[in-house]
Amino acid sequence: MKKKFDVLPEIAKLGHVALVSNDLEKSLWFFEEVVGLEKTTEVDGVHYLRAWGDFEHHTLSIKAGPEPSVDHIAWKAKRPEDVNNFAILLRDAGVDVTEVVAGTETGQGDAIRFQLPSGHHFEIYYQMEKPKVTDPKLKSVLKNQPYKAWRKGISPRRFDHVNIATNAQASDIVDFLAENLGFKIREYIKAPDDQVVAAWMSVTALVHDIAVMSNPVFDTSHELHHISYWSDNAQDILRAADILRENGVHFVGPGKHGISQAMYVYATDPGSGVRLELFSNSYLILDPDWEPVEWSLEEMEIGFTYWGEQAAAGEDANTTINAGSPIEQAIK
């Protein structure tokens, strides 16, 4: 990232993903009743959801549409001025930036939207409402927790990461994220021709706030591989498998990744077709001099699946949905 300001703009964390579902009723059943997300509100057909441990207005929004897609992936800036400063840096880098006025997305202040070289749509914001939960049926007795835990469904604690996919070169996305948005590579896969084919990157202490995967079998250069919600421990993931089974939702796992060292179960929203990873454990990166971990394709039997059902097995694990819907649609 080029130095243009006394303090470079920074991204603080992953904010939310906005989905379009061609069967809204099924998507809401899956995310609210089976997964157990809480609904903050519904405005003009957009349903805003968050986990019981999420503090902002929403970490997921869902609206109806003729084709399933991802409207945008949003990131929270570290400082209010960073939103405009990112706009300046991105425009200087030749990126088209669209300004989104406060209130266009319920609960959110001014923001910017733009495309990655792959066509994925990103949003950067700073201001976001933190609604107070007042209903005693929903409100936790803990002052540092908005909702009651374990009130319904799988009940993950918080939004964790996104994984985007492309049929183009992963390195184009990885370089853009590093040079323009300040993401750091934590682990990556290198092919025999020295091309980076996947990378796990973060701006926080997490192993990844975002992962990037390339494969020529993907339909476009701008796909969403999965979104992920985090639970406290491995037992929560086993409990999630029981709940998915009881509700007739097919899943892949449980298992443990070598890369990230996380426990997982993957399930697919029957409405939008988006894949959800239910995720736990993993490790934190607190060292400022962290050296990215390189993996080869030959090591992926352990890298993707340390043990358990193969993460790449089954139809669910090979499905992606379009993550390149037009920005103009997203801000109407």
Side-chain angles (χ1 to χ4, degrees), residues 264-306:
Y264 62 82
V265 159
Y266 291 93
T268 300
D269 165 27
S272 69
V274 72
R275 185 188 302 105
L276 170 69
E277 182 183 27
L278 299 160
F279 185 88
S280 187
N281 296 344
S282 193
Y283 64 93
L284 299 177
I285 297 174
L286 303 174
D287 296 346
D289 57 348
W290 176 263
E291 301 260 343
V293 178
E294 180 180 317
W295 296 77
S296 69
L297 289 173
E298 291 74 20
E299 296 171 314
M300 283 306 96
E301 184 176 355
I302 290 177
F304 282 134
T305 308
Y306 183 45

Side-chain angles (χ1 to χ4, degrees), residues 24 28 32 39-49 57 62-63 106:
L24 183 61
L28 293 177
E32 291 188 66
K39 183 180 289 185
T40 308
T41 190
E42 182 267 322
V43 179
D44 296 330
V46 182
H47 298 256
Y48 296 92
L49 311 175
H57 184 272
I62 311 174
K63 65 181 180 181
T106 302

